[in-house]
Amino acid sequence: MVDKLVNSEANTRRIAMVESCFGSSGQPLGVPGRVLVGEGVLTKMCRKKPKTRQFFLFNDILVYGNIIINKKRYNKQHIIPLEEVKLESLEDDNQYKNGWLIRTASKSFAVYAATAVEKGEWMAHINKCIDDLLRKSGKKAVAVHAAVWVPDGEAHVCMHCKKTQFTLINRRHHCRKCGAVVCGPCSNKRFLLPNQSSKPLRVCLHCYEVLTSASTKNHNSIDSANKGVNADSSGEEDSDDDEETNKGQPEAHDLPKFYDNEKLG
């Protein structure tokens, strides 16, 4: 059904509307063969706290952004190629329900739907798009994915040394290899993780030992990764954690919309 929507006026109009809602802060989304499969609001687990985000599922990419004015204006557009994506269902707990992980080579995070039915719909549609894309392209699924960052609020002491308590002075840092929340001294090493950045990234001491022992064939890259320990951490902050003013948060829950079963006139 997705293929039948490729050249439809409805699909062209929907994609143009998404582009308009992002405005100059977003990239052009209307490319030949692209179909908007579905859209809706999900809760994304950010570094500091869960935040609502608008998601758009296309047949080749997943796009999300901050909600500025509900259904009218979004910013901070993120585009994820579906060929890099792997989904993993999360078990419900006392605090969070109906969640799953979106894993990619460069970034991984958890999202939560309002109901179990919606979770099932989202996961089924995303997985179908991934399967169709890989089948048509002949590519293999990405084998290595970035770690999911442990939220700041879940760690009051360093997860490496188990001693340092976090304060305004002793800041939290994240290991870009395992996602653990660690103190400065326990993450004062950098290592090149090509899937995530072209620059060496902050890693905890444990991951550094594992990575260096596995990279004995390339001593030069290890030496360069050690330089500038106190320099910028090259993406240490989660760009999706910026504070935003949401003027249009829906008062009532809006159901996600999926268009692949839509009847064409």
Side-chain angles (χ1 to χ4, degrees):
M1 184 61 201
V2 169
D3 291 338
K4 295 181 180 179
L5 291 172
V6 170
N7 298 315
S8 71
E9 292 183 6
N11 180 62
T12 301
R13 185 173 62 253
R14 290 180 191 126
I15 294 178
M17 182 62 69
V18 177
E19 288 181 330
S20 175
C21 288
F22 277 105
S24 59
S25 68
Q27 297 182 27
L29 298 171
V31 300
R34 179 167 289 165
V35 174
L36 178 59
V37 178
E39 59 183 284
V41 175
L42 295 171
T43 298
K44 177 180 177 292
M45 182 61 73
C46 298
R47 173 177 179 174
K48 296 179 181 178
K49 61 182 179 180
K51 296 182 179 181
T52 54
R53 296 288 183 257
Q54 181 73 29
F55 280 76
F56 299 94
L57 173 62
F58 296 84
N59 59 337
D60 62 332
I61 57 175
L62 182 65
V63 177
Y64 69 93
N66 295 8
I67 303 171
I68 303 302
I69 302 176
N70 188 41
K71 299 181 181 179
K72 294 183 179 180
R73 186 68 177 169
Y74 313 113
N75 70 0
K76 298 191 182 300
Q77 184 188 77
H78 297 259
I79 299 178
I80 303 173
L82 284 181
E83 61 187 22
E84 298 181 5
V85 172
K86 177 183 178 182
L87 304 186
E88 293 182 21
S89 181
L90 293 173
E91 296 291 332
D92 292 348
D93 57 32
N94 294 331
Q95 190 172 10
Y96 301 110
K97 301 181 184 300
N98 312 315
W100 67 96
L101 297 180
I102 297 177
R103 290 187 174 275
T104 76
S106 60
K107 184 177 182 178
S108 300
F109 54 89
V111 293
Y112 297 86
T115 67
V117 172
E118 291 179 27
K119 171 185 175 178
E121 289 179 336
W122 272 108
M123 293 191 69
H125 280 89
I126 295 173
N127 277 326
K128 186 177 189 307
C129 287
I130 295 171
D131 292 341
D132 290 345
L133 187 64
L134 293 176
R135 176 173 50 80
K136 292 177 181 179
S137 67
K139 296 181 179 179
K140 294 183 178 180
V142 175
V144 180
H145 301 90
V148 178
W149 283 17
V150 176
D152 284 3
E154 293 186 13
H156 299 291
V157 298
C158 174
M159 298 176 68
H160 184 267
C161 67
K162 314 291 186 183
K163 296 178 181 179
T164 301
Q165 291 189 337
F166 296 119
T167 65
L168 292 176
I169 298 176
N170 293 324
R171 294 178 54 225
R172 292 173 172 84
H173 300 279
H174 279 83
C175 172
R176 299 303 290 268
K177 178 61 178 176
C178 69
V181 182
V182 289
C183 64
C186 288
S187 59
N188 63 0
K189 299 292 187 181
R190 301 287 188 273
F191 198 90
L192 186 62
L193 303 174
N195 290 333
Q196 297 188 41
S197 176
S198 60
K199 300 178 181 179
L201 297 174
R202 181 187 295 271
V203 294
C204 68
L205 297 180
H206 171 73
C207 286
Y208 180 78
E209 291 177 2
V210 173
L211 290 166
T212 51
S213 64
S215 301
T216 54
K217 294 182 180 180
N218 194 344
H219 295 290
N220 291 332
S221 66
I222 296 174
D223 292 340
S224 66
N226 279 324
K227 295 180 180 179
V229 166
N230 295 319
D232 182 84
S233 58
S234 180
E236 172 69 24
E237 298 299 325
D238 186 348
S239 63
D240 203 31
D241 249 321
D242 297 337
E243 292 299 325
E244 73 276 358
T245 301
N246 189 336
K247 299 179 180 179
Q249 188 75 327
E251 295 181 1
H253 172 60
D254 291 328
L255 296 174
K257 297 178 180 178
F258 295 102
Y259 305 114
D260 51 341
N261 291 322
E262 183 180 67
K263 293 183 180 180
L264 299 177

